[in-house]
Amino acid sequence: MAGVEACRYIPNDLRAVTVSRTLRLILTLHGLIGLVDTAELLATELVSNAVRHTKGPAALRVRRSPEGVVWIGAWDTDPAPPEPPRPLTQVGEVEEGRGLGLVRACADYWGWQPSARFGNRGKYVWCELGA
């Protein structure tokens, strides 16, 4: 997967979040079994937020750099920045509000950027995992 990218488009339907599970197969096929559980959790959180908080379609994009960094990003049609992540100690057992907190806690880096620079409207919320 070095220097390779995979992208899956997702309709605005929470049931479609299961597309994040294809990441398990992609990473396993490329010898990154040690990242599978964390990557799948982070992709699910990013895609879930994209579908839950916007009205349009979304996409899951995964890349691996030649240096071995796995980049996971969720695109959505809303250009507004995501709400800042809350510390996991503040969200406890609540059903909502811990997604970006999990991303911040589990990823090496995370962030967001407007996707206008890619010729699309909306934004990417992304994270990185060292392989």
Side-chain angles (χ1 to χ4, degrees), residues 106-117:
C106 297
D108 295 329
Y109 300 100
W110 81 277
W112 78 277
Q113 63 193 52
S115 65
R117 64 194 283 200

Side-chain angles (χ1 to χ4, degrees), residues 80-102:
E83 291 290 321
R86 295 175 13 204
L88 294 179
T89 55
Q90 291 181 2
V91 293
E93 298 297 319
V94 297
E95 282 294 311
E96 295 182 358
R98 60 178 183 249
L100 284 181
L102 283 170

Side-chain angles (χ1 to χ4, degrees), residues 16-84:
V17 171
T18 59
V19 76
S20 301
R21 295 191 183 119
T22 63
L23 188 57
R24 177 173 293 276
L25 177 61
I26 293 168
L27 294 176
T28 301
L29 289 173
H30 291 283
L32 298 169
I33 192 75
L35 294 180
V36 167
D37 291 334
T38 302
E40 186 177 61
L41 170 70
L42 298 180
T44 300
E45 292 298 336
L46 293 175
V47 170
S48 176
N49 283 347
V51 171
R52 178 172 289 160
H53 299 295
T54 65
K55 293 182 179 11
L60 171 66
R61 180 174 283 169
V62 181
R63 289 190 303 237
R64 182 175 181 204
S65 73
E67 298 80 29
V69 174
V70 174
W71 182 92
I72 303 166
W75 169 81
D76 65 53
T77 58
D78 184 358
E83 291 290 321

